Amino acid sequence: MTDLQGKTGLCTGAESLINALASHGVDACFANPGTSEMQLVAALDKQPRIRAVLCLFEGVVTGAADGYGRMADKPALTLLHLGPGFANGMANLHNAQRAGSPILNMVGDHATDHLQHDAPLTSDIKGMATPVSRAF
C-alpha cells in the first residue's frame, strides 16, 4: 500500500479515499467542511492532484461543483458538513442530477457511537441523498 505521496506505508481511511478519487481523475473538491470532516480536509491537503476550494455556504459548494462538472466534463467532488449542510445544497444537486452533471458528494456524519445520542445535526443522509443521486 502507498500513501498519498507514493511512499510505502499505511494510509488512513480518509487518505485512501482521497487517493482513490485522485487516481480516477478527480482534480477539484468544493468544500464547506465542519469538524466531522477534518480527516478528509487533512487528506485533501496532502493530495497534490486534487485542488480544494473552500466555500462559505453549501449552496456555493454544490453550484460550483455543478458548473465545474459541466464545463470540465469530469467529476467534481463536494465535501459537506453533515445532513443539514447537504440539505443546504440540495436544490443545486437536484438541478445537477437532472442535467447529468458528474458530481461526487462526500457528506460527514457523527461518529457511530455518538448516533445513539441523537445530536441536533443527526440526519438521514442516505434518505436525503437518494432523490438527488444516481447510481452508476
Side-chain angles (χ1 to χ4, degrees), residues 14-116:
E15 290 170 342
S16 294
L17 174 60
I18 298 302
N19 194 35
L21 290 167
S23 294
H24 284 88
V26 174
D27 63 6
C29 177
F30 300 91
N32 184 278
T35 55
S36 59
E37 297 82 31
M38 286 300 104
Q39 293 82 1
L40 291 163
V41 171
L44 281 165
D45 190 47
K46 293 178 184 178
Q47 176 51 262
R49 294 179 289 171
I50 299 180
R51 181 183 58 220
V53 180
L54 295 177
C55 305
L56 293 178
F57 177 65
E58 296 88 352
V60 174
V61 169
T62 54
D66 182 20
Y68 182 86
R70 290 184 198 208
M71 290 188 300
D73 196 29
K74 62 170 120 177
L77 180 63
T78 71
L79 176 58
L80 302 164
H81 182 51
L82 305 170
F86 184 82
N88 285 339
M90 280 182 74
N92 288 331
L93 294 174
H94 167 79
N95 293 339
Q97 187 257 358
R98 299 294 290 175
S101 295
I103 298 176
L104 300 165
N105 296 297
M106 290 189 298
V107 183
D109 201 356
H110 296 289
T112 55
D113 55 330
H114 291 175
L115 291 175
Q116 65 181 332

